[in-house]
DNA sequence: CTTAATCCGACTCATTAAGTCAAGATTCTC
DNA sequence: GAGAATCTTGACTTAATGAGTCGGATTAAG
């Protein structure tokens, strides 16, 4: 039971994009990777997944890069996890015959985790964060 | 993010022991493995972990086996996960410098999952289960 | 045309989960 | 006491997967 680094990276990237914000100029994969300390070649794949999931827009070619496709308040952690990991939990090899009690239990756990992930938006992450900029005002 | 099969197996074994209940005669690893459809050689290691964590008692030699060391209502899923997997979540490689916002977020998630796991006892699993015995009364 | 990007599949590498094996230790039964 | 049953333990194998890299194709700006 753990957060994959793909997922962590994806969230960092989206947070960075949300933080950066300006609508016109997109951020390059390189810029995000550098700022958020993510292996660039790896990040590229993750950004692609996020794009395919409809969370990002991309512009190819020189001066290209990535932008958010939605408002930060409309992207939840659940969205990110699903986009990047496919599902929040691999179904346990819980063959119903031998242990039906546990099937329900694990499903309940999955639902609780899903709810928890869905209750956190990228915006709420930004809001709750002690903005680093504060110290420079 | 997933429930390890070790963990699933551990829960099945404990549920089986709790279900079986009688204080005197212990259940053998083989009996548990057979009834709950778990690879026996593998289960043996898991039972040992549970024993070391204080959840089970064992009796060696002929007529030996395992029993619960506590009441089913005093064993939570959190206990089992910790005993078997060591921790509920590997700490994400969340280097504080680059993404402090997420560190808090992942910690919160970890706490929510911990709470959820702690709120489920083996007894509650038995209670919520549509007892298979029902059909035989 | 050159440069700066994304796109995307194929690849390597290391870790770990899952499971097996075998030998030792302990206790029961006869 | 002998033999059988059972837990105890560590070493081993294997397969899957997460993490990350590489290189080439595509697209757009200057």
């Amino acid at each position: 039971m753990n957060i994959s680094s793909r997922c962590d990276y994806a969230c960092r990237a989206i947070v960075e994009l949300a933080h950066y914000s300006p609508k016109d100029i997109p951020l390059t994969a390189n810029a995000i990777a550098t700022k958020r300390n993510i292996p660039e070649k790896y990040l590229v794949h993750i950004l692609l997944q996020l794009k395919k999931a409809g969370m990002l827009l991309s512009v190819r070619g020189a001066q290209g890069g990535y932008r958010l496709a939605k408002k930060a308040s409309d992207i939840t952690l659940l969205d990110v996890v699903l986009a990047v990991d496919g599902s929040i939990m691999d179904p346990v090899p819980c063959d119903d015959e031998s242990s039906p009690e546990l099937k329900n239990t694990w499903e309940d756990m999955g639902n609780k985790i899903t709810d928890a992930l869905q209750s956190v938006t990228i915006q709420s992450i930004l809001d709750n964060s002690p903005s680093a900029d504060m110290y420079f005002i």
Side-chain angles (χ1 to χ4, degrees), chain A:
Chain A
M1 181 111 63
N2 56 347
I3 305 291
S4 68
S5 70
R6 298 178 69 74
C7 180
D8 183 40
Y9 292 162
C11 290
R12 290 195 213 177
I14 293 186
V15 164
E16 174 62 20
L17 285 165
H19 184 73
Y20 180 75
S21 233
K23 315 293 186 293
D24 338 8
I25 307 170
L27 278 179
T28 67
N30 179 280
I32 299 170
T34 302
K35 185 123 172 236
R36 293 289 174 162
N37 197 32
I38 305 170
E40 181 185 350
K41 299 293 177 64
Y42 195 32
L43 177 60
V44 156
H45 292 285
I46 297 169
L47 291 173
L48 207 51
Q49 284 185 282
L50 294 173
K51 182 193 170 183
K52 285 179 178 165
M55 264 165 268
L56 302 186
L57 299 175
S58 66
V59 181
R60 297 177 70 154
Q63 313 306 315
Y66 301 87
R67 294 176 315 169
L68 289 188
K70 307 174 171 188
K71 285 185 295 183
S73 55
D74 287 341
I75 302 176
T76 69
L77 283 190
L78 181 63
D79 297 328
V80 180
V81 173
L82 289 179
V84 155
D85 289 344
S87 68
I88 58 158
M89 264 175 63
D90 313 338
V92 167
C94 207
D95 45 282
D96 299 28
E97 322 146 19
S98 75
S99 292
E101 312 94 331
L102 283 174
K103 185 160 184 284
N104 294 330
T105 302
W106 295 138
E107 281 176 3
D108 288 350
M109 280 302 306
N111 290 336
K112 284 187 186 175
I113 294 174
T114 299
D115 290 348
L117 288 171
Q118 198 159 25
S119 74
V120 180
T121 68
I122 300 300
Q123 186 62 50
S124 71
I125 293 175
L126 292 174
D127 291 344
N128 290 335
S129 129
S131 166
D133 295 342
M134 253 193 208
Y135 304 105
F136 300 102
I137 296 178

